[in-house]
Amino acid sequence: MIRGALALAAGLSAAGAAGADPLLLEGHGGPVMDVTVAPDGQVATASFDNSVGLWNGAEPRWLEGHDAAVNAVAFLPGGGLASAADDFDVILWRDGAPISRLEGHAGKVMALAPEGERVASASWDGSARLWSAADGTLLQEFDGHDGPVNDVAFLDAGTLLTASADGTVRVWDAAAGTEARQIVTGGFGVNRMALAPDGAWLAYGTVDGTARVLDTATGDEIADLSAGRRPILALTVSPDGSHLAIGNGEGHILVARTGDWSVLHDFRATDRGPIWSLDFAPDGARLYAAGLDAAVHVWPLADLDAQDAMSTADAAFLTDPATVPNGERQFKRKCSVCHTLTGDGARRAGPTLAGLFGRPAGAIADYPYSDALADSDVTWTAETVSALFEIGPAHYVPGTKMPMQRIAGAEDRADLIDYLRRETAPKE
Ligand code: HEC
């Protein structure tokens, strides 16, 4: 079961509603299934509202042509866009107008992979197809999976990868249409793939929450980033290959550094519903996330930058993630994407935590708190912050817009609070 089958009843309210969110792409009339960023920073979105959105200025442009929910959109290297939908078709667009409709799949088309003058499509009809991106001619078909094909990617110009609900990732000769080998076999259904820019490794995510990285030449496992059993629905690599982002069925986003596969961020980005698609900005400093919400949320990853700048400037300064004290690690992974500790005015979804202890809830003057938090009579102390994450913000302050997240381990909470007490104390 992947994207289309997930319940749509739950309304998603992402962290930092109107005003507090650093950036929102708003305008679609339904959930957003795919978001993709071009090298020049243009953004395209695919939505349940049957349209493709093109965002390159103040006003989004709407590309109308599909007769059903649009699942995937891709920028074509030669210019223009391709989109794939529940109407079983792929449409090629140029200057915002449809130039050809690629018909032939017998099921929903779920993913696209452009390469040079060609574009590959993955369908729930169990096949992948390769088309000319210039005129829409069908160039090749890839048949052999025992279930829906969920994703497709080019390892190199001559080699196509397909990921299927049948639990395999298959490697194909793109010109001949023949299967060369299976690089993943015998597991749970594979939803998503992401490749290193040089093709050296393949990350894949499954319906049972497995997120693994393999050496594409040998098939050997390089890293295992599985965290819980929530289906992995989104996977993306930053353009320079330095970071991998994973989104799951419960709205968590995990960001790892590919150099040592350490986890930099692991946070709940939505309080309900899945993350269906993620993509990095060209400079890697922001992450675009799409899901049940009609708006695409853009997360600044400032801390990523700081850590990278540090590691490239002076490698000896780089701390082994295993030696970072637990409290600091808890904060970096679970809080820093939304909160600063210093009140330096950096824009985050949440209020600064500078001077937190002893402060009444909702006290930062220019931060747009929810009424629930602003009107609560909580004062932040070691005990109340611990309780906040022992039972979760939504239970501690019903109506808060801080996304649901719990820190179950008493020791993890204590270490985090020690760290926060040190780092948020007013500096004399
Ligand atoms: C995905 C974003 C996000 C993450 C991650 C996050 N928070 Fe928050 N936090 C918020 C938002 C948004 C608010 C404001 C809530 C409101 O107004 O209802 C908030 C409010 C708070 C407050 C109340 C502050 C005040 O001025 O009253 C505290 C304390 C807090 N967060 C601590 C944390 C800690 C500690 C972590 C990590 C374990 C964390 N948060 C993780 C978004 C987040």
Side-chain angles (χ1 to χ4, degrees):
M1 183 194 80
I2 77 157
R3 308 190 293 185
L6 284 155
L8 286 173
L12 170 153
S13 85
D21 220 4
L23 188 51
L24 282 176
L25 302 183
E26 289 180 286
H28 272 301
V32 180
M33 302 291 287
D34 196 16
V35 57
T36 184
V37 187
D40 67 2
Q42 276 194 83
V43 177
T45 48
S47 169
F48 263 63
D49 69 7
N50 300 6
S51 71
V52 169
L54 188 55
W55 315 73
N56 53 6
E59 278 301 306
R61 211 162 155 191
W62 305 111
L63 280 49
E64 312 282 355
H66 283 293
D67 305 319
V70 191
N71 300 313
V73 59
F75 286 97
L76 298 169
L81 288 164
S83 59
D86 276 5
D87 59 12
F88 303 3
D89 293 345
V90 174
I91 295 180
L92 301 178
W93 307 84
R94 188 130 323 174
D95 301 323
I99 56 160
S100 51
R101 196 173 188 106
L102 285 43
E103 296 174 336
H105 275 302
K108 299 179 179 188
V109 190
M110 302 308 292
L112 293 168
E115 206 289 324
E117 288 283 282
R118 302 167 301 167
V119 61
S121 55
S123 170
W124 281 5
D125 67 9
S127 78
R129 288 176 175 231
L130 184 61
W131 317 80
S132 160
D135 60 12
T137 314
L138 178 66
L139 303 174
Q140 195 49 266
E141 286 179 58
F142 306 87
D143 272 311
H145 277 293
D146 300 321
V149 182
N150 293 324
D151 206 0
V152 62
F154 277 94
L155 182 56
D156 55 53
T159 314
L160 194 72
L161 301 181
T162 51
S164 166
D166 70 6
T168 66
V169 172
R170 301 185 191 213
V171 182
W172 307 81
D173 181 317
T178 50
E179 187 181 315
R181 62 193 165 103
Q182 301 189 0
I183 186 166
V184 175
T185 51
F188 286 86
V190 184
N191 285 342
R192 289 276 141 212
M193 297 186 287
L195 278 162
D198 64 0
W201 47 259
L202 166 76
Y204 71 95
T206 73
V207 289
D208 82 320
T210 304
R212 286 211 183 94
V213 185
L214 305 179
D215 182 309
T216 46
T218 62
D220 293 342
E221 183 175 310
I222 297 175
D224 188 344
L225 295 165
S226 308
R229 311 208 52 165
R230 313 287 169 232
I232 307 295
L233 302 173
L235 260 186
T236 192
V237 180
S238 61
D240 67 357
S242 64
H243 294 91
L244 178 73
I246 303 174
N248 77 14
E250 275 210 344
H252 289 93
I253 295 177
L254 181 148
V255 182
R257 193 202 312 262
T258 61
D260 58 5
W261 301 105
S262 58
V263 175
L264 298 175
H265 292 295
D266 180 1
F267 63 103
R268 187 149 191 177
T270 68
D271 56 9
R272 293 174 93 184
I275 301 287
W276 278 324
S277 179
L278 292 168
D279 204 6
F280 284 94
D283 64 1
R286 278 163 295 138
L287 189 60
Y288 291 73
L292 278 187
D293 200 349
V296 169
H297 292 254
V298 189
W299 299 94
L301 296 174
D303 288 57
L304 276 184
D305 280 357
Q307 291 177 33
D308 287 347
M310 201 166 80
S311 63
T312 43
D314 182 359
F317 210 69
L318 178 64
T319 34
D320 173 353
T323 68
V324 173
N326 185 41
E328 180 176 352
R329 196 164 61 231
Q330 295 287 328
F331 178 78
K332 289 247 156 75
R333 287 189 183 178
K334 297 176 180 164
C335 326
S336 70
V337 76
C338 297
H339 292 288
T340 68
L341 296 173
T342 57
D344 59 5
R347 301 183 73 201
R348 294 290 154 82
T352 178
L353 300 182
L356 180 68
F357 292 89
R359 186 171 103 189
I364 300 294
D366 54 0
Y367 180 82
Y369 289 101
S370 65
D371 293 342
L373 195 69
D375 298 345
S376 83
D377 38 345
V378 173
T379 296
W380 297 120
T381 64
E383 291 70 35
T384 54
V385 176
S386 182
L388 179 69
F389 291 102
E390 184 176 1
I391 62 173
H395 297 291
Y396 195 72
V397 184
T400 178
K401 58 187 175 138
M402 177 151 54
M404 183 62 194
Q405 87 166 307
R406 293 181 57 226
I407 300 177
E411 212 165 298
D412 287 343
R413 289 197 307 272
D415 290 349
L416 171 66
I417 285 158
D418 280 349
Y419 174 76
L420 288 175
R421 266 149 110 69
R422 262 196 326 276
E423 298 297 319
T424 63
K427 306 267 185 306
E428 298 302 325

